[in-house]
Amino acid sequence: MATAPYNYSYIFKYIIIGDMGVGKSCLLHQFTEKKFMADCPHTIGVEFGTRIIEVSGQKIKLQIWDTAGQERFRAVTRSYYRGAAGALMVYDITRRSTYNHLSSWLTDARNLTNPNTVIILIGNKADLEAQRDVTYEEAKQFAEENGLLFLEASAKTGENVEDAFLEAAKKIYQNIQDGSLDLNAAESGVQHKPSAPQGGRLTSEPQPQREGSASDLCSTAPFPTFHLCLLEAALLAASLSSVHLLGFN
Ligand SMILES: Nc1nc2c(ncn2[C@@H]2O[C@H](COP(=O)(O)OP(=O)(O)OP(=O)(O)O)[C@@H](O)[C@H]2O)c(=O)[nH]1
Ligand SMILES: [Mg+2]
């Protein structure tokens, strides 16, 4: 039976990490829903969102895992780093402690992802200039010293939120193009979804999935555990919004 091609060519897995309350979930929400959540509850475990973007004419589906910043969830959230193509490492420009903890987040990111994982440092809450506690220059220097992309952003105003996700995607795509990211390598965090030729048949590919469908999730997340996939399936089947809460206690 002939099937329609995928409406995207690649899937990139992202994680968002950083201290509690720096605005990780708000950044994800702003990116996927274009809205600011003023009263966002702390994330319990991980949340998930997707959006299709375009880089160099290629449609890319970002599969984004937003982790809880609270220390008590660290063991759970660490298991989500594996197979990430991109990592957004977020601090709050108004709280120096969140900046001081970056080296610990970076150590985890380096140890638990692969050497090709693109890490972008995001100084969030750039709208709160009067309360600034970390200068742009020092964060830029930290990023340069550690080979990270860097942007200041505001999940509230939306400033640089698109760019945060897009810049990382551009770099990942560039790594694919120049051959430095091997798509066949285990845990590259990237999945290629070749489109069917005109009028052709997709014989070796799985059936195309509805955007954000449960089986897509389970087959593409490099390692969600079985119980997570079941939970995701239940949530997605219930047609919840594009951000899903995966509860852990
Ligand atoms: N002014 C301002 N407030 C923000 C911004 N981003 C997030 N906030 C607020 O900061 C608080 C924490 O945001 P969250 O997105 O829940 O933070 P988080 O990093 O996901 O926190 P955990 O889930 O606990 O790790 C919320 O009250 C948000 O409304 C921003 O860009 N500007
Ligand atoms: Mg959160």
Side-chain angles (χ1 to χ4, degrees):
M1 183 184 74
T3 55
Y6 289 92
N7 59 351
Y8 49 85
S9 305
Y10 293 91
I11 298 173
F12 292 175
K13 177 188 170 180
Y14 276 19
I15 50 167
I16 312 180
I17 57 175
D19 273 13
M20 171 177 94
V22 295
K24 299 180 294 299
S25 301
C26 287
L27 286 166
L28 176 60
H29 197 74
Q30 180 64 256
F31 181 64
T32 56
E33 307 293 324
K34 303 201 185 311
K35 284 183 199 138
F36 175 61
M37 287 190 297
D39 296 311
C40 183
H42 285 298
T43 302
I44 309 295
V46 288
E47 291 176 30
F48 173 78
T50 66
R51 198 182 123 187
I52 294 176
I53 58 163
E54 201 169 308
V55 172
S56 302
Q58 296 284 332
K59 291 237 175 9
I60 296 167
K61 179 173 175 174
L62 299 185
Q63 184 192 73
I64 309 156
W65 298 89
D66 163 31
T67 65
Q70 289 180 75
E71 182 64 40
R72 67 194 172 110
F73 295 116
R74 201 61 58 88
V76 170
T77 56
R78 275 197 183 112
S79 63
Y80 279 81
Y81 288 57
R82 218 177 99 204
L88 273 69
M89 188 168 73
V90 186
Y91 68 96
D92 176 347
I93 68 152
T94 73
R95 274 195 298 144
R96 178 157 287 276
S97 62
T98 68
Y99 177 78
N100 293 341
H101 294 153
L102 288 177
S103 42
S104 150
W105 289 109
L106 187 57
T107 301
D108 270 6
R110 294 266 194 243
N111 289 342
L112 299 167
T113 62
N114 65 67
N116 284 311
T117 300
V118 171
I119 305 176
I120 181 163
L121 177 63
I122 308 293
N124 190 38
K125 309 197 186 181
D127 56 290
L128 300 175
E129 186 58 41
Q131 294 160 50
R132 179 185 284 275
D133 202 16
V134 181
T135 67
Y136 178 88
E137 290 71 26
E138 64 186 308
K140 175 99 183 116
Q141 190 181 342
F142 176 86
E144 279 170 6
E145 283 168 5
N146 290 284
L148 314 173
L149 301 173
F150 171 61
L151 277 176
E152 283 192 349
S154 168
K156 184 171 185 179
T157 65
E159 179 196 348
N160 277 346
V161 173
E162 291 274 318
D163 280 354
F165 289 85
L166 280 174
E167 289 303 311
K170 282 185 201 160
K171 180 72 181 144
I172 296 163
Y173 188 69
Q174 189 186 320
N175 290 345
I176 296 169
Q177 295 302 300
D178 68 20
S180 54
L181 181 63
D182 177 7
L183 298 191
N184 296 319
E187 299 169 8
S188 70
V190 174
Q191 223 186 52
H192 194 199
K193 298 274 187 187
S195 304
Q198 205 69 30
R201 293 159 68 98
L202 286 175
T203 48
S204 58
E205 284 290 308
Q207 293 295 304
Q209 310 296 334
R210 161 177 85 72
E211 167 67 2
S213 76
S215 52
D216 194 354
L217 250 180
C218 295
S219 64
T220 58
F223 80 125
T225 56
F226 183 60
H227 73 277
L228 272 178
C229 284
L230 286 179
L231 185 53
E232 285 155 7
L235 288 168
L236 287 158
S239 297
L240 295 178
S241 72
S242 64
V243 176
H244 305 289
L245 178 71
L246 303 180
F248 288 89
N249 275 311

